[in-house]
Amino acid sequence: MKSKSSGWIIFLIFFMFFVFMFFIEVSVYSLLPPEQGGMSFLMEFKNIWYRSIWFYGILLLISLFLYLKFLRKGE
């Protein structure tokens, strides 16, 4: 039981780290606010997500977690 809760804690720490770093990357892409010629958050997200290592890290982390979760269900 203890290993199950520690796995969730480790997963959440890594997930929050990747999400935070991705948010910083999107926020820093255009430092100007939309009123001064910058882009909105969604426009920045559209321009960054496909070349962001943090975004793919989030996907990898989620897919690895789901794989391991379903792998244990089969046992």
Side-chain angles (χ1 to χ4, degrees), residues 1-44:
M1 187 72 166
K2 186 175 182 174
S3 67
K4 189 182 267 190
S5 63
S6 64
W8 273 103
I9 292 171
I10 291 171
F11 170 73
L12 287 175
I13 289 172
F14 277 117
F15 182 74
M16 292 306 294
F17 173 73
F18 278 90
V19 168
F20 181 70
M21 293 302 289
F22 181 65
F23 177 75
I24 289 176
E25 184 178 11
V26 171
S27 297
V28 173
Y29 183 72
S30 175
L31 294 175
L32 292 175
E35 297 82 26
Q36 296 179 353
M39 291 183 276
S40 67
F41 185 82
L42 291 176
M43 289 298 292
E44 293 173 10

